[in-house]
């Protein structure tokens, strides 16, 4: 088996079906889908039954609604050489697995691969964070070239690191940047990674109201990961200056919702960097 796709899911069904439909269109079909189902009901049963005839699906149930715990649980059952973690509302463009497969075959020394994000309409949306060219991933570019649902890792590397930090990410106080944390830990062990600009997975933009609601928690995650991985002060300063600048610019424009988003992001990053956190058992 070439790929293991671990999908942690809760509260969605039509979106999971759309993801599986996009996987049916992949040129590379050597993959398994491990669905880690955190729902209290059986909404996914008919969808799993529908696709089980055409692809290998392991459907697991868990009552713990922690994204990275679910990802790690699924990854422990993976048999593929490469593990990846699509969100339950993603769709794969047609050549995603083909590109990833080709990269790992031609770059045997690389441990991980990342790509970018498209909106369902084919645009890049509001985000200006992505690098515009292929690039090695390092401690600087990791912040502009990685998102968890477009991260491919050699399974033996993922297992050696112990997977995602379960004290970071959705469902925890530190709500984001678990992918950056994993990549920084790989880089610290001299495991190289690479970013392909044309490796694109579709994912919808979140409403502004939801982004605002999550801004502080996501900021906490970024700040925590920078402190945990001893990022240099240049990086830390940039991550504080940018949202502070965004707050001022949008305040002048009287765009109060976006100004609030940047202000909460700034506060979260600062608090996350300063946070004292008990070590996981």
């Amino acid at each position: 088996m070439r790929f293991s796709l671990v999908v942690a899911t809760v509260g969605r069904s039509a979106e999971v079906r759309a993801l599986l439909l996009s996987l049916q269109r992949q040129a590379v079909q050597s993959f398994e889908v491990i669905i880690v189902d955190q729902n209290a009901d059986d909404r996914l049963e008919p969808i799993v039954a529908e696709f089980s005839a055409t692809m290998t699906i392991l459907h697991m149930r868990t009552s713990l609604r922690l994204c990275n715990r679910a990802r790690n649980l699924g990854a422990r059952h993976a048999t593929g050489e490469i593990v990846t973690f699509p969100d339950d509302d993603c769709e794969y463009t047609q050549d995603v697995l083909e590109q990833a497969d080709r990269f790992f075959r031609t770059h045997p020394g690389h441990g991980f691969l990342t790509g970018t994000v498209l909106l369902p309409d084919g645009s890049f949306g509001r985000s200006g964070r992505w690098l515009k060219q292929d690039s090695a991933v390092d401690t600087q570019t990791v912040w502009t070239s990685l998102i968890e649902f477009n991260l491919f890792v050699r399974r033996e590397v993922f297992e050696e690191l112990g997977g995602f930090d379960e004290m970071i990410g959705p469902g925890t106080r530190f709500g984001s940047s678990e992918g950056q944390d994993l990549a920084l830990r790989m880089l610290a062990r001299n495991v190289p990674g690479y970013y392909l600009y044309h490796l694109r997975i579709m994912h919808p933009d979140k409403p502004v109201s939801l982004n605002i609601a999550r801004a502080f928690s996501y900021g906490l995650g970024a700040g925590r990961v920078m402190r945990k991985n001893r990022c240099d002060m240049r990086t830390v300063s940039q991550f504080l200056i940018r949202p502070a600048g965004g707050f001022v610019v949008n305040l002048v424009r009287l765009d109060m919702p976006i100004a609030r988003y940047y202000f909460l992001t700034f506060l979260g990053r600062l608090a996350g960097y300063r946070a004292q956190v008990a070590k996981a058992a």
Side-chain angles (χ1 to χ4, degrees):
M1 188 70 68
R2 185 61 167 159
F3 294 96
S4 293
L5 287 74
V6 180
V7 184
T9 180
V10 62
R12 294 188 173 115
S13 52
E15 295 89 345
V16 174
R17 186 177 187 276
L19 169 61
L20 295 177
L21 279 172
S22 74
L23 295 178
Q24 283 187 329
R25 297 190 288 268
Q26 294 299 298
V28 172
Q29 286 291 307
S30 178
F31 65 83
E32 62 184 357
V33 182
I34 302 171
I35 297 175
V36 187
D37 185 349
Q38 301 165 91
N39 293 295
D41 56 32
D42 295 326
R43 71 183 66 196
L44 295 182
E45 294 288 352
I47 296 171
V48 171
E50 177 185 354
F51 287 91
S52 290
T54 56
M55 64 181 69
T56 302
I57 300 179
L58 173 60
H59 182 200
M60 307 177 62
R61 305 293 294 264
T62 178
S63 60
L64 294 173
R65 293 189 174 186
L66 286 175
C67 183
N68 287 321
R69 186 169 295 181
R71 287 169 173 162
N72 287 343
L73 174 63
R76 286 196 288 272
H77 294 266
T79 63
E81 300 168 62
I82 300 158
V83 290
T84 186
F85 303 90
D87 279 359
D88 58 0
D89 56 348
C90 284
E91 293 183 48
Y92 274 28
T93 52
Q94 194 164 354
D95 63 347
V96 167
L97 293 183
E98 184 178 23
Q99 284 195 70
D101 179 57
R102 181 167 59 248
F103 176 86
F104 281 108
R105 292 188 188 281
T106 56
H107 297 79
H110 279 67
F112 67 101
L113 175 68
T114 79
T116 186
V117 184
L118 288 180
L119 295 184
D121 65 6
S123 71
F124 284 100
R126 296 188 299 269
S127 175
R129 64 177 286 195
W130 301 106
L131 293 178
K132 300 302 187 290
Q133 67 284 326
D134 295 355
S135 172
V137 178
D138 58 31
T139 57
Q140 297 292 320
T141 61
V142 70
W143 302 100
T144 52
S145 65
L146 188 151
I147 196 162
E148 290 77 21
F149 59 75
N150 201 347
L151 172 63
F152 295 80
V153 186
R154 294 190 188 274
R155 180 161 58 89
E156 66 271 18
V157 174
F158 186 83
E159 290 173 348
E160 286 171 5
L161 286 169
F164 288 105
D165 183 341
E166 295 179 8
M167 297 180 70
I168 300 171
T172 73
R173 176 187 177 197
F174 304 98
S176 74
S177 301
E178 66 271 27
Q180 279 76 20
D181 174 69
L182 182 65
L184 287 167
R185 286 189 280 136
M186 287 189 279
L187 293 172
R189 295 194 180 196
N190 297 315
V191 176
Y194 203 78
Y195 165 78
L196 291 179
Y197 177 65
H198 291 287
L199 180 64
R200 296 169 180 173
I201 290 176
M202 292 185 291
H203 189 277
D205 254 354
K206 297 294 188 292
V208 172
S209 59
L210 183 57
N211 285 334
I212 293 172
R214 293 175 172 177
F216 185 77
S217 174
Y218 279 22
L220 279 172
R224 170 62 186 149
V225 167
M226 285 188 284
R227 181 65 174 269
K228 174 188 173 185
N229 291 281
R230 297 181 174 86
C231 290
D232 62 85
M233 290 310 299
R234 173 190 170 195
T235 300
V236 176
S237 299
Q238 287 176 341
F239 264 69
L240 293 175
I241 291 170
R242 288 174 183 172
F247 167 69
V248 172
V249 168
N250 286 281
L251 191 63
V252 170
R253 293 174 177 171
L254 299 180
D255 191 339
M256 302 312 293
I258 302 302
R260 178 175 173 79
Y261 164 79
Y262 280 115
F263 183 62
L264 291 172
T265 298
F266 168 79
L267 291 180
R269 288 178 179 177
L270 181 61
Y273 188 79
R274 298 175 62 186
Q276 298 295 318
V277 183
K279 292 183 178 180

